[in-house]
Amino acid sequence: MGLLECCARCLIGAPFASLVATGLCFFGVALFCGCGHEALTGTEQLIETYFSKNYQDYEYLINVIHAFQYVIYGTASFFFLYGALLLAEGFYTTGAVRQIFGDYKTTICGRGLSATVTGGPKGRGARGPQRAHSLQRVCQCLGKWLGHPDKFVGITYVLTIVWLLVFACSAVPVYIYFNTWTTCQSIANPSKTSASIGTLCADARMYGVLPWNAFPGKVCGSNLLSICKTSEFQMTFHLFIAAFVGAAATLVSLLTFIIAATYNFAVLKLMGRGTKF
């Protein structure tokens, strides 16, 4: 089997669902972690500048923000590694499923690889069989990890439940900033509201961002409108929206991974191949 034929069969056996899910996962995690990190930094600056003059009032908030930023670093690293592992598992199990249905007669770890490596002229030396044997041993080692789609389904299911909580939490700052932005729109257009401009406020204490004894803790009227017009507020608001979109994309990718892995596992189980192949 020639190199082009081998590449064509690999493309035929490509797990397109896993490829799409991996792309969404990488995109979503990068967007969530990158934008979330910068949005938290912007929130810290807004609190320090406009909502409290006493460091002790927001000291705990800053510690939480810094701790969560470190969690973001770990989350990004984990999901990039786990996404690559899920993609490799998708290639492995999809190849086995297509082999069962006869659409993918040889796998990269099977006789096709041996024939490609060892089928050359005899005068090329004895390194061909050794190289093929080494690659087959590598594939066998990978198979011990990737030949269990049921475990990947379970782990991904747990991660999806956890990420649902992350997705819900990422909506909270978007909700807070949206309420503040809506209040600013009411201040900018007093004819659209019956309330006095001086009574329209954004209170950080109400959302638990600052303790109730923080001073001033809230900004009202024209002062709040001037904050909403700053680039810091606008940028932070849009960064939180982008982080929310990234969390949604990651959630969709995890659900796609679950569907693809569950299908592969069900087919292998139904055809009597079990979870080891």
Side-chain angles (χ1 to χ4, degrees):
M1 182 174 64
L3 180 61
L4 292 178
E5 185 179 355
C6 179
C7 292
R9 294 197 176 194
C10 288
L11 289 176
I12 292 174
F16 294 105
S18 296
L19 287 171
V20 172
T22 303
L24 272 176
C25 182
F26 288 171
F27 169 77
V29 170
L31 197 62
F32 172 78
C33 294
C35 295
H37 182 278
E38 295 302 317
L40 289 173
T41 302
T43 299
E44 178 182 341
Q45 294 175 353
L46 288 172
I47 292 294
E48 291 177 353
T49 306
Y50 301 107
F51 287 89
S52 180
K53 303 300 181 181
N54 187 2
Y55 176 75
Q56 294 181 349
D57 292 339
Y58 54 86
E59 180 181 7
Y60 177 75
L61 174 66
I62 291 179
N63 292 333
V64 172
I65 288 177
H66 290 172
F68 192 75
Q69 286 175 334
Y70 283 110
V71 172
I72 284 177
Y73 298 145
T75 301
S77 302
F78 171 78
F79 271 95
F80 276 106
L81 291 174
Y82 190 69
L85 189 61
L86 284 176
L87 180 61
E89 189 273 338
F91 271 101
Y92 195 88
T93 54
T94 301
V97 170
R98 291 184 179 273
Q99 192 176 17
I100 290 174
F101 289 108
D103 297 331
Y104 193 53
K105 297 296 184 183
T106 56
T107 63
I108 195 171
C109 299
R111 288 177 293 178
L113 179 62
S114 300
T116 302
V117 178
T118 62
K122 295 181 180 180
R124 293 187 179 180
R127 290 188 176 181
Q130 294 179 357
R131 193 174 300 170
H133 179 68
S134 300
L135 289 173
Q136 286 177 356
R137 292 190 63 180
V138 170
C139 288
Q140 290 175 358
C141 293
L142 288 174
K144 292 180 180 179
W145 292 92
L146 303 179
H148 301 276
D150 54 333
K151 295 181 180 180
F152 280 97
V153 172
I155 295 174
T156 309
Y157 183 79
V158 173
L159 285 175
T160 303
I161 294 177
V162 174
W163 198 258
L164 274 172
L165 298 177
V166 176
F167 175 72
C169 291
S170 65
V172 174
V174 176
Y175 171 76
I176 294 174
Y177 275 87
F178 178 76
N179 279 349
T180 304
W181 178 80
T182 302
T183 304
C184 288
Q185 296 301 310
S186 299
I187 297 173
N189 299 282
S191 60
K192 296 182 179 181
T193 179
S194 59
S196 173
I197 294 178
T199 60
L200 296 176
C201 306
D203 194 343
R205 301 169 299 180
M206 181 175 64
Y207 301 105
V209 177
L210 293 174
W212 282 107
N213 58 353
F215 181 82
K218 65 178 181 178
V219 180
C220 304
S222 58
N223 292 330
L224 178 60
L225 181 60
S226 63
I227 294 175
C228 291
K229 291 180 178 180
T230 60
S231 59
E232 291 84 2
F233 178 86
Q234 295 291 333
M235 179 62 68
T236 304
F237 184 24
H238 288 89
L239 284 173
F240 271 122
I241 294 175
F244 178 74
V245 173
T250 305
L251 181 62
V252 173
S253 72
L254 290 173
L255 293 174
T256 307
F257 274 131
I258 289 179
I259 295 172
T262 303
Y263 171 79
N264 289 334
F265 171 68
V267 172
L268 294 173
K269 200 72 174 178
L270 183 63
M271 302 301 293
R273 294 292 296 272
T275 58
K276 296 181 180 180
F277 40 88

